[in-house]
Amino acid sequence: MRSALGGGLGLRLELHFSAMQKTMDPYDAPESTPRQHPSCSLKEYFLAATPLQRRLESVRKQATSFVPTPPRRRIPQRSQLQEDVDPQKVAFLLHKQWTLYSLTPLYKFSYTNLKEYSRLLSAFITAEKQKGLAVEVGEDCNIKVVFSTLLGMKGTQSDPEAVLVQILSKPQLPSEDREAKALWTGWFCCVFGDGLLETVSEDFTCLPLFLANGAESNTAIIGTWFQKTFDCYFSPLAINAFNLSWMAAMWTACKMDRYVAATEFLWSVPCSPQSLDISYAIHPEDAKALWDSVHRTPGEVTQEEVDLFMDCLSSHFYRHFRIHLSATRLVRVSTSVASAHTDGKIKIICHKYLIGVLAYLTELAIFQIE
Amino acid sequence: MLVLRPLDKLPGLNTATLLLVGTDDALLQQRADSRLKMDCASELRVHLARSLPLPSNVNRPLVDLLVFVINLHSKYSLQSVEKSLYHVDASFFLGKACFLAAGAGRESHCSVHRNTIMRLAHTYRSPVLFCDLEVEGFRATMAQRLVRMLQICAGHMPSVSA
C-alpha cells in the first residue's frame, strides 16, 4: 500500500511537469486562441497507476490549464523567402481592394494541370454567362481564364504555392495580344499555415485564404466551379473588432521609412434609427510614438499592449468629446501598411509587409475553417 | 458607498429576487425580464441596475441571484461590470452570482474575446453563460436556466443549495 502510494506520488509529480511543459509550447507559436490542452494521451494512461489516479490527473490538468492565457504574436517580419518575391510581379497585388474568403482544403488539386483548369473554367464561365440571363449584344463572350502560380507568396517552405486566377478579356484585334485587360482577379494563398497543413492528408492542398477583386457575379461563378471540382467550401471572412484592433497594433508597430497615409480608425455607433460613424485620424508618427511607449518585448505583440494602445486612443477621444469609444464597434482600420474593413475587405499598401499581413489573414481564415 | 451583501435582509416568503447588473441596452433587458417572469413558479422579482453601487435610499428586498450582463459587442460594458464587481461582497461569489455574456451569436460584431470573459469568470469562481438575447429561442432557454439557478439560490428547491 505504502509503496503504491509513494509510487503514485512520484508519478503524479512527473505527470504534472509534463502537463506544464505541454502547455508551454502553444505560447511560442502564433495562435489566435490558446487551444485548450487536449486530455490525457496514451503515454499518460500507462504511467498512471489506477483508474482513480488517472481521473484525478485529468481533472487536475483541466483545472490548471483551463485558464486561457492571452495570445502573443510576432510583429510581421520579412519572410525567409523574401528573395523569391519580385516586387514588379506583386505590384499588381498592392493598392487594390480585395474581398476575403476562407476556403477549405482542395481535393486533388494539382499544380501541373493548370492549363487544363484554365480551359475548363473558361468553358464553364462562358456557359454560365450564356445561360440566357441577359442578351448583351456588344459584350463578347471571348474571355480567357489564366491560372498561374505566384512565386514567393508563402511563409515557409512547406506552404503550398499561391495560385492566381485571372479572367482576361480577349482583345478584339489579334495584333494587341499583349494588352489583355484583367476583368477579375483572384488568388489563393497560404502563409505560415502549419497548423492546418499538419492535419490534412496528402490528397488535399491547403490554400485557406482567397482574395478576390472584381465583379461579385464572377466571384460567385468561380466559387461554384471550384466547389464542384475540388469539393471545397468558400465562406466570406469577416474580421471582428477584436482582430481589427490587433491589426491596428501590429501594423503601427511596423517600421516604415516613410508614411504614405495617416492612421485612421472608423467606429460605428449602434444607435437608432441609423448608425453614426466616427472617424478618428492620427498622424502616423504620433501613432508610432504611442506604440513605442506601450511596447515592451521587442519582436512580439501581446494582448495587454494591444488593449493599452486602444485604451489610450479611446481615453484621448473621451477627454475631448466625452464619447466612450469602447461602447462602439470598430469597423475599419487604415494604416500606411494596409487597411482593413470588418466586412472582409483589405487593401495592402506596403509590399515590405505583404507576407506579414497575409500571415495574419491566413490565421483568421484557418480559425474560421476549423 | 454601499457594498451589496447577500444576507443583510430577511428573505421574503415565496419570493425570489434577481438583480441584473450591466448594460444600458434597456430594450434587451426588458425582453429578458418578460421571459423570466413567465417561467417561474414562485413569485419572481427582477431588478435592473446599470452599475453598482446601488443608491442607498431605496427600499429593496434581499437579492438572491446577482447576474452580471456583459455585452460582447462593447468593451465599455465589460469595463463597467468590472467596476461594479468591487462593490459586491465576496460571499456572493459562493454560488449566488453569475456572468451572462450577451451577443455571442454574432461573432463578427464581437469586440471582446470570449477568453476574456472566461478568465473573469474563472477569477471570480462563478459560472458564465453565453447567449444571444436577440434570438427568441435562445432567450427562452437562457430564461429557464436563470430561473432554475435563482430558485436554487433562494432555497426554493428542496435539498439543493447554492
Side-chain angles (χ1 to χ4, degrees):
Chain A
M1 169 81 156
R2 262 187 68 193
S3 60
L5 264 180
L9 265 175
L11 284 171
R12 205 171 296 148
L13 276 175
E14 259 178 37
L15 280 172
H16 204 59
F17 274 103
S18 70
M20 276 181 65
Q21 270 168 3
K22 275 206 201 117
T23 49
M24 286 301 176
D25 290 341
Y27 299 165
D28 298 331
E31 282 186 305
S32 59
T33 49
R35 296 211 185 99
Q36 194 154 352
H37 183 63
S39 50
C40 297
S41 67
L42 208 55
K43 186 179 80 163
E44 284 143 9
Y45 273 109
F46 289 145
L47 283 178
T50 64
L52 178 61
Q53 277 175 344
R54 261 183 260 150
R55 234 174 289 136
L56 278 174
E57 271 324 299
S58 67
V59 166
R60 188 173 304 146
K61 224 184 323 223
Q62 272 174 5
T64 50
S65 64
F66 169 74
V67 183
T69 47
R72 307 170 152 259
R73 264 196 208 93
R74 280 193 295 266
I75 297 176
Q77 306 286 343
R78 308 173 78 105
S79 87
Q80 302 88 304
L81 313 170
Q82 193 72 14
E83 309 79 40
D84 291 340
V85 177
D86 190 359
Q88 313 273 282
K89 291 218 183 85
V90 299
F92 73 98
L93 297 176
L94 305 175
H95 300 286
K96 260 202 189 99
Q97 170 127 314
W98 302 99
T99 311
L100 296 170
Y101 294 86
S102 70
L103 179 62
T104 58
L106 302 161
Y107 184 62
K108 288 218 184 339
F109 177 86
S110 130
Y111 286 93
T112 50
N113 287 353
L114 294 182
K115 280 209 164 43
E116 179 72 18
Y117 298 147
S118 311
R119 227 175 31 83
L120 289 171
L121 188 50
S122 306
F124 186 77
I125 292 179
T126 319
E128 287 285 323
K129 283 210 174 339
Q130 278 173 344
K131 249 187 191 167
L133 287 172
V135 181
E136 289 160 350
V137 180
E139 185 81 78
D140 56 291
C141 302
N142 294 332
I143 49 160
K144 196 169 59 153
V145 176
V146 175
F147 272 67
S148 55
T149 51
L150 277 175
L151 293 171
M153 286 289 119
K154 55 187 195 177
T156 60
Q157 282 295 354
S158 56
D159 287 334
E161 293 285 351
V163 177
L164 175 70
V165 180
Q166 276 181 310
I167 300 184
L168 305 166
S169 62
K170 267 206 208 136
Q172 300 285 12
L173 302 169
S175 61
E176 292 177 14
D177 207 87
R178 286 278 169 184
E179 301 296 323
K181 198 164 72 99
L183 295 173
W184 182 93
T185 318
W187 49 299
F188 304 80
C189 70
C190 175
V191 182
F192 292 110
D194 307 322
L196 191 60
L197 290 169
E198 284 161 16
T199 54
V200 299
S201 66
E202 291 296 319
D203 293 331
F204 287 92
T205 314
C206 286
L207 292 164
L209 188 63
F210 175 57
L211 301 95
N213 170 280
E216 192 54 42
S217 54
N218 287 332
T219 314
I221 295 175
I222 294 190
T224 321
W225 185 81
F226 267 90
Q227 280 174 173
K228 277 205 282 204
T229 320
F230 299 112
D231 193 25
C232 57
Y233 185 69
F234 281 86
S235 60
L237 184 66
I239 311 173
N240 64 19
F242 178 77
N243 290 324
L244 281 176
S245 58
W246 264 92
M247 283 185 193
M250 292 202 303
W251 297 343
T252 311
C254 296
K255 276 199 256 299
M256 301 279 289
D257 304 321
R258 62 183 190 92
Y259 292 101
V260 298
T263 304
E264 202 181 304
F265 298 86
L266 189 67
W267 310 83
S268 160
V269 184
C271 64
S272 55
Q274 60 208 150
S275 61
L276 292 172
D277 284 332
I278 298 177
S279 165
Y280 184 4
I282 324 166
H283 195 271
E285 280 164 22
D286 293 339
K288 183 81 166 73
L290 175 63
W291 174 255
D292 288 335
S293 65
V294 166
H295 192 47
R296 296 265 171 283
T297 357
E300 250 186 8
V301 180
T302 61
Q303 179 71 53
E304 288 94 28
E305 288 169 8
V306 175
D307 286 340
L308 196 52
F309 181 66
M310 299 305 289
D311 285 344
C312 288
L313 297 174
S314 310
S315 60
H316 180 78
F317 196 81
Y318 182 70
R319 206 175 308 135
H320 288 273
F321 298 104
R322 292 277 173 237
I323 295 178
H324 285 280
L325 280 179
S326 46
T328 61
R329 186 166 70 99
L330 181 56
V331 159
R332 188 163 177 270
V333 168
S334 170
T335 61
S336 297
V337 171
S339 97
H341 190 277
T342 191
D343 291 338
K345 301 208 189 325
I346 186 136
K347 190 193 285 198
I348 308 176
I349 299 168
C350 176
H351 77 275
K352 218 165 71 153
Y353 295 104
L354 178 60
I355 298 290
V357 172
L358 291 176
Y360 187 56
L361 294 173
T362 312
E363 201 181 310
L364 291 182
I366 293 177
F367 184 62
Q368 191 177 22
I369 297 173
E370 286 176 351
Chain B
M1 284 288 170
L2 208 63
V3 171
L4 204 60
R5 289 184 206 284
L7 293 170
D8 55 353
K9 294 194 163 66
L10 290 175
L13 191 61
N14 204 32
T15 54
T17 311
L18 177 69
L19 177 61
L20 287 168
V21 178
T23 79
D24 40 357
D25 199 338
L27 192 59
L28 280 180
Q29 281 186 335
Q30 276 164 20
R31 279 191 239 159
D33 283 346
S34 49
R35 278 295 339 179
L36 282 168
K37 287 209 163 74
M38 281 188 236
D39 286 327
C40 194
S42 47
E43 187 191 316
L44 170 67
R45 290 223 204 110
V46 179
H47 289 246
L48 304 172
R50 194 161 296 187
S51 67
L52 296 175
L54 301 171
S56 50
N57 49 359
V58 178
N59 191 19
R60 79 175 64 76
L62 172 73
V63 176
D64 290 309
L65 177 63
L66 188 56
V67 180
F68 291 98
V69 182
I70 302 174
N71 188 0
L72 284 179
H73 299 177
S74 121
K75 281 198 280 207
Y76 180 63
S77 78
L78 177 65
Q79 285 165 3
S80 65
V81 161
E82 279 174 349
K83 282 194 214 118
S84 307
L85 280 167
Y86 298 142
H87 300 283
V88 178
D89 187 46
S91 44
F92 252 112
F93 296 107
L94 293 172
K96 285 181 178 265
C98 85
F99 293 90
L100 185 69
R106 291 161 68 178
E107 178 66 30
S108 58
H109 283 230
C110 286
S111 302
V112 179
H113 202 271
R114 276 198 317 274
N115 287 343
T116 318
I117 311 287
M118 280 160 67
R119 242 181 305 137
L120 182 67
H122 186 79
T123 317
Y124 284 93
R125 304 287 193 270
S126 296
V128 60
L129 305 169
F130 288 94
C131 71
D132 195 353
L133 287 178
E134 295 178 18
V135 180
E136 177 59 40
F138 295 155
R139 234 182 8 246
T141 325
M142 184 53 53
Q144 278 178 353
R145 290 176 82 174
L146 280 180
V147 165
R148 192 120 183 112
M149 283 176 69
L150 177 63
Q151 287 180 326
I152 295 174
C153 290
H156 294 177
M157 285 272 168
S159 73
V160 181
S161 70

